[in-house]
Amino acid sequence: MAKPRLEPTSEFHRLGLGFYQDLDTTGKTDDEVCDIVLDPFTGQERIRLQDFLDGITRDDASDTELLQLR
């Protein structure tokens, strides 16, 4: 049986928008930068985002699938 296509979630797209030039200078620490990027997400959105990120960082996602997450 074929593995289902890896589809980026709306939360993943929104997460990407949170990264901008000089973001690293906006926060004083890595934790502050993470807080800035994750601030727009609420409870269920954070859970869906975490589940998706867990899925793409496991070894079962191929390089080809990861490159298609644009």
Side-chain angles (χ1 to χ4, degrees):
M1 183 167 143
K3 188 166 67 168
R5 187 180 185 300
L6 190 59
E7 291 290 335
T9 63
S10 62
E11 292 84 11
F12 181 71
H13 286 291
R14 285 181 39 220
L15 177 71
L17 295 174
F19 291 91
Y20 52 87
Q21 185 174 348
D22 298 327
L23 172 64
D24 60 325
T25 62
T26 303
K28 292 180 177 63
T29 66
D30 288 344
D31 286 340
E32 285 183 13
V33 170
C34 288
D35 289 342
I36 291 167
V37 172
L38 294 175
D39 184 59
F41 298 95
T42 61
Q44 285 298 328
E45 292 172 323
R46 284 184 182 219
I47 291 169
R48 284 190 299 272
L49 179 59
Q50 180 179 0
D51 289 345
F52 182 74
L53 293 174
D54 286 345
I56 64 172
T57 55
R58 283 185 294 213
D59 288 336
D60 58 338
S62 72
D63 291 343
T64 302
E65 289 174 305
L66 295 175
L67 287 170
Q68 294 173 353
L69 291 177
R70 299 186 229 166

